[in-house]
């Protein structure tokens, strides 16, 4: 695995949305799924797993770099006797967010429930290795959170109720960041010390956003990018405050915005040909159930030339580049 002979951290625990989801939504009563072709067409054995991608997610590449020989299991697919949990678990659920109402809207797993599930995994790990060994796994493990995109794009901007409750997006950021704070505090109380949280991506440059929210479908929606930047600044300041208050906490905001924005604006520099639409279907709106092997337009002939796989999620090729940035930025979390 990239020359690494042993695990740099004992375990990896993942929380959040479709950026990290590897199959937790597969058996839920939700349309937000990716466990069917053409998803996974470039993954191991060409198998759709529930990853919202044609192949590996950025976190998969990161786990490779950390020296693991397998990826953290989706919690929904684990058994009580599964000893692989000692190496970590994945709790992420597509269309989840800092606001639990976002997950509830789509019938997916809220962050609150994900944290409860992690508590159950802690009990199972303690049962396998004992309290002392488990404690070192919890404190030495790497925790990664990805959330916020669904809150803004799939909840606030389509919900008159939320817009009436919070008259501006900035006001909606307040409960989102409060939820983030409480989530980190709870993880910390459960032993976590190494936590990475991804920033929001350039929301206005996602192909689906340009189609749904843009007047011109091939131009980034600058209002949404401004909102993402505004949230990211507040996420950074909130994280700094948490680090000062919680002794021994190593909390890092991992910037996804700029690396992905650079790919979108200068695709040819990294060997891409298309950055304004996804590989699946027309590339403008297809995601989840709309990106399927029966849809009319098929998929592009070479997904590695596309920054996006579907209208909201990067391709494996783009994820590989994003992961390199995550490794360089996030090295202070694990070394």
């Amino acid at each position: 695995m990239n020359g690494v002979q042993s695990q740099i951290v004992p375990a990896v625990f993942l929380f959040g949305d479709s950026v990290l989801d590897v199959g937790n939504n597969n058996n839920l009563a939700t349309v937000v799924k990716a466990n069917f072709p053409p998803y996974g067409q470039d993954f191991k054995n060409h198998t759709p797993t529930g990853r919202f991608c044609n192949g590996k997610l950025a976190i998969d590449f990161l786990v490779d770099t950390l020296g693991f020989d397998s990826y953290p299991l989706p919690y929904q697919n684990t058994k009580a006797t599964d000893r692989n949990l000692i190496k970590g678990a994945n709790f992420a659920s597509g269309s989840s967010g800092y606001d639990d109402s976002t997950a509830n809207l789509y019938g997916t797993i809220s962050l609150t429930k994900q944290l409860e599930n992690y508590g159950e995994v802690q009990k199972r790990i303690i049962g396998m290795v004992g309290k002392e060994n488990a404690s070192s796994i919890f404190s030495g493990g790497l925790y990664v959170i990805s959330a916020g995109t669904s809150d803004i794009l799939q909840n606030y901007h389509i919900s008159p109720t939320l817009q009436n409750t919070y008259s501006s997006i900035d006001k909606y950021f307040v409960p989102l960041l409060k939820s983030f704070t409480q989530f980190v505090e709870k993880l910390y109380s459960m032993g976590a010390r190494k936590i990475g949280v991804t920033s929001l991506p350039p929301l206005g440059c996602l192909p689906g956003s340009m189609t749904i929210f843009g007047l011109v479908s091939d131009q980034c929606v600058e209002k949404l990018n401004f909102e993402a930047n505004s949230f990211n600044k507040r996420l950074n300041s909130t994280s700094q405050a948490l680090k000062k208050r919680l002794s021994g906490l190593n909390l890092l905001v991992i910037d996804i915005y700029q690396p992905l924005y650079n790919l979108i604006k200068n695709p040819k520099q990294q060997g891409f040909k298309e950055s304004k639409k996804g590989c699946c279907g027309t590339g403008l709106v297809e995601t989840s159930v709309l990106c399927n092997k029966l849809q009319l337009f098929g998929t592009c002939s070479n997904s590695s030339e596309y920054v996006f796989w579907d209208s909201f999620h990067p391709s494996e090729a783009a994820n590989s580049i994003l992961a390199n940035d995550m490794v360089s930025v996030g090295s202070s979390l694990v070394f």
Side-chain angles (χ1 to χ4, degrees):
M1 293 288 182
N2 296 331
V4 181
Q5 300 302 313
S6 60
Q7 296 168 206
I8 295 174
V9 293
V12 177
F13 299 100
L14 306 171
F15 304 86
D17 55 22
S18 59
V19 171
L20 300 177
D21 189 357
V22 296
N24 283 305
N25 282 11
N26 289 359
N27 297 317
L28 301 181
T30 178
V31 297
V32 187
K33 297 183 182 184
N35 59 335
F36 44 80
Y39 286 103
Q41 68 177 28
D42 301 305
F43 198 64
K44 184 179 180 181
N45 298 325
H46 311 290
T47 303
T49 60
R51 287 167 168 81
F52 289 79
C53 187
N54 58 301
K56 290 183 181 181
L57 305 177
I59 195 66
D60 293 325
F61 287 105
L62 177 60
V63 169
D64 286 345
T65 302
L66 292 173
F68 287 81
D69 57 11
S70 61
Y71 302 121
L73 295 173
Y75 171 77
Q76 298 299 112
N77 293 1
T78 62
K79 300 176 182 177
T81 57
D82 202 329
R83 291 193 64 83
N84 284 328
L85 289 174
I86 295 169
K87 295 183 179 181
N90 186 317
F91 305 92
S93 175
S95 290
S96 182
Y98 292 119
D99 183 348
D100 280 358
S101 76
T102 304
N104 295 339
L105 186 64
Y106 293 93
T108 59
I109 307 167
S110 68
L111 274 185
T112 297
K113 182 61 178 176
Q114 290 180 36
L115 203 55
E116 290 177 12
N117 292 340
Y118 173 59
E120 291 300 313
V121 164
Q122 281 202 326
K123 292 176 185 176
R124 287 156 68 175
I125 292 175
I126 291 170
M128 293 178 202
V129 302
K131 196 166 185 177
E132 186 176 341
N133 288 331
S135 179
S136 65
I137 291 172
F138 304 150
S139 62
L142 174 65
Y143 299 75
V144 181
I145 308 163
S146 169
T149 295
S150 296
D151 293 315
I152 295 171
L153 295 182
Q154 295 172 248
N155 200 351
Y156 183 84
H157 279 301
I158 67 168
S159 171
T161 302
L162 268 185
Q163 291 170 22
N164 287 334
T165 304
Y166 304 101
S167 58
S168 70
I169 192 72
D170 280 346
K171 291 180 179 177
Y172 184 51
F173 290 165
V174 174
L176 295 186
L177 290 165
K178 181 180 179 181
S179 174
F180 164 71
T181 297
Q182 292 172 339
F183 190 85
V184 170
E185 289 172 340
K186 184 63 175 175
L187 271 183
Y188 178 86
S189 74
M190 299 170 80
R193 292 298 180 269
K194 302 173 181 179
I195 304 175
V197 56
T198 62
S199 72
L200 290 183
L203 297 177
C205 295
L206 308 181
S209 294
M210 291 192 291
T211 302
I212 297 167
F213 300 105
L215 296 176
V216 181
S217 63
D218 66 346
Q219 297 295 320
C220 295
V221 183
E222 292 306 323
K223 175 189 173 185
L224 293 176
N225 281 352
F226 181 84
E227 291 174 358
N229 271 314
S230 176
F231 180 85
N232 289 341
K233 289 176 183 176
R234 293 174 69 170
L235 181 66
N236 271 293
S237 59
T238 301
S239 297
Q240 289 299 320
L242 279 165
K243 284 178 65 175
K244 290 179 181 178
R245 187 158 52 82
L246 300 177
S247 176
L249 174 64
N250 190 352
L251 175 61
L252 179 70
V253 177
I254 302 170
D255 179 30
I256 298 298
Y257 186 102
Q258 199 60 49
L260 185 53
Y261 185 81
N262 291 343
L263 281 182
I264 293 166
K265 288 298 183 180
N266 303 291
K268 292 181 180 179
Q269 290 184 3
Q270 297 281 5
F272 294 95
K273 292 184 178 180
E274 178 59 68
S275 64
K276 294 182 178 179
K277 60 182 181 179
C279 173
C280 186
T282 65
L284 302 177
V285 293
E286 291 85 355
T287 189
S288 191
V289 294
L290 296 180
C291 175
N292 63 75
K293 64 180 181 180
L294 300 177
Q295 48 85 22
L296 183 61
F297 296 95
T299 58
C300 64
S301 59
N302 186 355
S303 59
S304 65
E305 295 177 345
Y306 280 64
V307 172
F308 289 95
W309 163 248
D310 64 18
S311 63
F312 286 97
H313 303 98
S315 65
E316 178 183 81
N319 280 331
S320 176
I321 293 171
L322 295 174
N324 289 336
D325 284 289
M326 290 174 69
V327 170
S328 60
V329 171
S331 60
S332 63
L333 274 177
V334 294
F335 294 108

